[in-house]
Amino acid sequence: MTRPAPTPAPTTADGRGHRPAPWVRTRLRAAPLTVLLGAALAFVAVLLAAALPRAVDRGADQALRSFLHDQGPGPTSLSASVTSRGGRMTPQDLDTVLAALRARTGGAFRLDASGPVHGARGVKASNLATPGLDRPEAVDPRLTLVHLPEAAAHTSLVAGRWPSGGEPGAPVPVALSRSASETLKAPLGTVLESTPSISGTLRAEVVGLYDATDPADVYWTDLPCLTKACQNRTPDSLPKVYWQTAALVGADGLDRIGAWGEGAEYFWRLPVDTGVLRADLLPGVSREIASFVTGPTASGLSAAFKRPDLHISSRLPELFKRAEARQQGAAPLAAIGPAGVAGVAAVVFCLAAALTGDRREAELRLLLARGGSRRSLVRRLLGEGAVTVLPAAALAAWLAIRLLPTPRLTASLVAATAVTLLALLAFPVRAFVLLSAPHGPRPRRRLVAELLVLAATAAAVLEVRRRGVAPAAGLDPLLVAAPLLLALSGALLLSRLLPALVGALARAAGRRPGLIGFLGLARAARGGGGRGRPSVLPLIALMLAVTTGGFGATVLGSVDTERLQVARQAVGGDAQIAAPSGEALTPELIRAANELPGVRTPVAAWVEEDDAFLFGTDRGSPQVRVVVVDPVAYAALARTVGRGRFDPALLAGGAPGTPLPALFSGDLVARAGDQAYRLRVRGEELQVRAAAVVDGTPALPGSGAAILVLPAQPAVALTPRISTPNRWFATGSVDADRLEELVRAGTPATTAEQVLVRTSAATVAGLAADPLQHSAGRLFWAAVAGAAGFAVLAVLLTLMRAAPDRAALLARLRTMGLRPRQGVALILAEALPQALVAAVGGGLVAAATAALLGPAVDLSALVGAQVPAGLRLTARPVLTQALGLAALVAVAVLAEAAISGRRQISTELRAGDQR
């Protein structure tokens, strides 16, 4: 049997073979606008997906570095020390230990460019008995001897010479800072003598004076007053002021430090470079630092130098734990916004795939009828999408990497890949479903799916409320998923109610003159494109956008409210002036402060924190802190601050011969009563009784000590000594600069610098300066903008999906006299009900989300201070998000109707009605 000859390929007129046009090129040329829109959608989605993880990483790194930088160079350094009890060390020994310590660094962390600091210093300071030295309150100044090998590189010699030499028994040569020399009245050549001790009388001669090149240099951190003389107070019941300073000795005076300071301490401080630490590598750095402190590195160094007393310490492990706790506490709240954007974007891709499927369903079925297989068609659609999606996705990922540089790529590439696959597979999967064997409606499947979503939502909410947020485990996916599930459940519920609600509105509109409202509402009730009900996907997109935006705005609003409350409790109101210990505020200053613009509820108070005791309690005779104020003004202040609330009438009374009514803190008495107690204040006694028990006082912010609050007039009559206030508090918008200027003008120059001026606005600004909070806020608002944009796009895609059917209706109505303005009104009546209902429903779901999940949310990481868990639900954040998105959707729908409505009618009239 012979094989049949192959059929020759078709030829053209010039004899060349004819080949079919490539599929992808033909499709791209057939619908260039659709191709561009698809590429733009993929580009934006991938750009957001790739940029969000990188923004989170950058925010985490910046927050970590800022947190560690704020701690100062001392806590962020490795400090090693040994004492002279284990044997003396030479300058060469100091350098050898330093080299060994530096050799063990450079792995997970590196040292700061400022460089290590090492040397020796006396364990204690010696009192100076030299006549003629400055003694502010007849207390001898104190001096410590220090040896710093690199001191010359950080100072400049201004007189004399650097210390060196010195025979045994002769005064030890020292160099003193010029500032300390002038303060102590110890010029060049002065011989400083210590008070007699077991070692006898020691002497030091000032042979040189120097100035620190930069007194604020981190080199001088933790060094005892080497750049100037420090003013200290004796630890007595009546403290006195004295001067303390330190002097430099040369290498040949190293052995004499121990005798002067009752022993010497050899120290090495290695500052860690916190400016290059990364949040993702923090566990490894923490392990290496811990090895230095109490691990194998510390043991190896002790054995190598045969110094079992080598002690290495650092606060870095503790600071790392605090930094990780802060990051983990903020992570779930910061992830809610991006999760909402991801959900809305997924809905938009599904809507875009549905729209493309509707437009090309006839084409695909024709190809299937002519012998094509579903597999081959899906493969061709994948190739068609790859040409459009992959270049746009690659460009978006590259742009995100260039715009937001960070060493971490994995999370960004995974997110970009996931979105790329979604954009690439959405239409082929939709086409595969369309080309499958048709099935009848299956309402039970939808009902079962909706019941499963409701069950999952209820379980997530109950679990979050039961166990709370789990920041110790890092990102809590349950807290992130719960708001999205609530939004999804609300959308499914609205999709069931929307046809009935809009149908009722359509029937009501049908009873009124005019058909535009009735036709638009009727189409909205049954959905466009011949569907029996509206599509649930636009509802889901809008509900996700409004719910996540409203919940996130509630979180940020609660953060602002809690931060203000924390600041007010720390200040004692919105402004405070506090006189130094033993001083008082002048009546002129108080009167001028009361008259400042914006001041409300001014309160002048007398506060005693040191010399007050209460007798007759179950605790014996505890020391208490006494506050004497006007009851009415103080009660208003306590209400505003939210601490120590009481009825001012309770402090009325106090007639002669009866105990004075007072407010007691709960740790003094359990309940109010008529029992009399003896209060001794600065040697004078009062009889007091507990008129009420309060939880604290604004006058002593953050104090955990026992507190008594007395009414001013009766207390002053009994004890005139307390008649002059030493504190001033106020609420309102007080200008900090004007308040400080007022204090400088109304206070003697000798005490003006010691007067404390604080405002809640400055405290709030300090708490809000944390980059962790800024990063979370920026991420949330970027997510809100992205979700709103995708939600509007979902509504526009829904309009485009129903455009052919609507265009036919408009064309028919146009032939019957429909005016263009009425056509736009019909489009608005069809599209806006779903958007408005979704905005209202989303607002309600957002409020419900805040109420259901709020008790489990801990805002401490975002506030910047420890606060009780819970959200403060207010209407403004939710309404702003709901109404804002509704207005944005309305504008978009109006623009789409005005631009495309007339074009659709004209196109339909030219083509003729073929339906």
Side-chain angles (χ1 to χ4, degrees), residues 10-244:
T11 58
T12 59
D14 56 2
R16 290 180 297 176
H18 174 73
R19 295 182 179 181
W23 170 277
V24 174
R25 186 183 66 187
T26 303
R27 290 304 312 164
L28 295 182
R29 288 182 174 179
L33 182 60
T34 303
V35 171
L36 290 177
L37 292 177
L41 178 59
F43 175 83
V44 172
V46 173
L47 181 64
L48 287 176
L52 285 176
R54 300 181 71 80
V56 171
D57 290 343
R58 287 166 58 88
D61 291 344
Q62 186 181 6
L64 170 65
R65 295 163 186 171
S66 175
F67 172 73
L68 295 176
H69 179 269
D70 292 342
Q71 307 303 314
T76 57
S77 298
L78 289 168
S79 300
S81 64
V82 295
T83 61
S84 57
R85 296 178 183 177
R88 294 181 177 179
M89 302 188 74
T90 65
Q92 292 74 21
D93 293 334
L94 292 175
D95 295 338
T96 301
V97 175
L98 175 62
L101 290 171
R102 299 186 67 167
R104 300 296 183 101
T105 64
F109 69 95
R110 70 186 189 192
L111 298 184
D112 191 76
S114 61
V117 181
H118 72 295
R121 58 192 169 198
V123 175
K124 294 183 179 180
S126 293
N127 294 340
L128 297 178
T130 306
L133 298 181
D134 186 64
R135 294 173 172 84
E137 297 188 8
V139 179
D140 290 337
R142 298 179 183 180
L143 178 69
T144 303
L145 298 187
V146 180
H147 170 63
L148 296 175
E150 298 91 358
H154 298 271
T155 56
S156 58
L157 191 66
V158 295
R161 61 180 176 85
W162 286 113
S164 62
E167 299 296 330
V172 55
V174 300
L176 201 63
S177 68
R178 179 165 56 176
S179 174
S181 173
E182 295 172 352
T183 301
L184 295 179
K185 296 181 174 57
L188 191 69
T190 302
V191 176
L192 305 173
E193 293 185 354
S194 69
T195 56
S197 63
I198 299 177
S199 303
T201 299
L202 304 175
R203 295 183 300 164
E205 182 183 1
V206 180
V207 300
L209 300 179
Y210 65 86
D211 283 337
T213 306
D214 181 9
D217 191 352
V218 297
Y219 179 83
W220 304 108
T221 301
D222 296 336
L223 294 176
C225 308
L226 274 168
T227 60
K228 64 179 181 178
C230 305
Q231 190 179 83
N232 290 341
R233 291 179 179 269
T234 59
D236 304 327
S237 58
L238 296 176
K240 295 182 179 181
V241 174
Y242 68 92
W243 294 111
Q244 180 170 345

Side-chain angles (χ1 to χ4, degrees), residues 331-358:
L333 303 177
I336 292 175
V341 175
V344 180
V347 171
V348 168
F349 278 115
C350 292
L351 278 172
L355 172 63
T356 308
D358 290 348

Side-chain angles (χ1 to χ4, degrees), residues 241-296:
V241 174
Y242 68 92
W243 294 111
Q244 180 170 345
T245 190
L248 293 173
V249 300
D252 47 8
L254 187 62
D255 293 341
R256 306 180 68 175
I257 293 178
W260 185 278
E262 299 184 19
E265 180 189 47
Y266 307 100
F267 64 91
W268 301 263
R269 177 166 58 83
L270 284 71
V272 175
D273 188 359
T274 59
V276 298
L277 294 181
R278 288 167 43 185
D280 61 321
L281 301 180
L282 200 57
V285 178
S286 183
R287 286 192 297 270
E288 191 165 332
I289 295 290
S291 177
F292 254 95
V293 176
T294 57

Side-chain angles (χ1 to χ4, degrees), residues 650-745:
L650 294 174
L651 294 185
T658 62
L660 190 66
L663 304 178
F664 281 55
S665 58
D667 50 358
L668 286 176
V669 296
R671 61 176 63 90
D674 295 330
Q675 180 182 351
Y677 302 90
R678 288 189 302 120
L679 174 64
R680 179 180 295 171
V681 183
R682 293 189 176 272
E684 299 187 14
E685 290 193 0
L686 301 174
Q687 294 287 328
V688 296
R689 63 178 176 84
V693 178
V694 294
D695 58 352
T697 172
L700 294 171
S703 172
I707 296 169
L708 257 73
V709 180
L710 302 177
Q713 294 300 330
V716 170
L718 295 174
T719 310
R721 180 179 296 181
I722 63 177
S723 60
T724 306
N726 56 11
R727 305 282 176 90
W728 178 85
F729 304 92
T731 60
S733 55
V734 184
D735 189 331
D737 294 334
R738 296 191 62 178
L739 190 61
E740 290 180 355
E741 182 180 352
L742 187 66
V743 169
R744 287 193 298 269

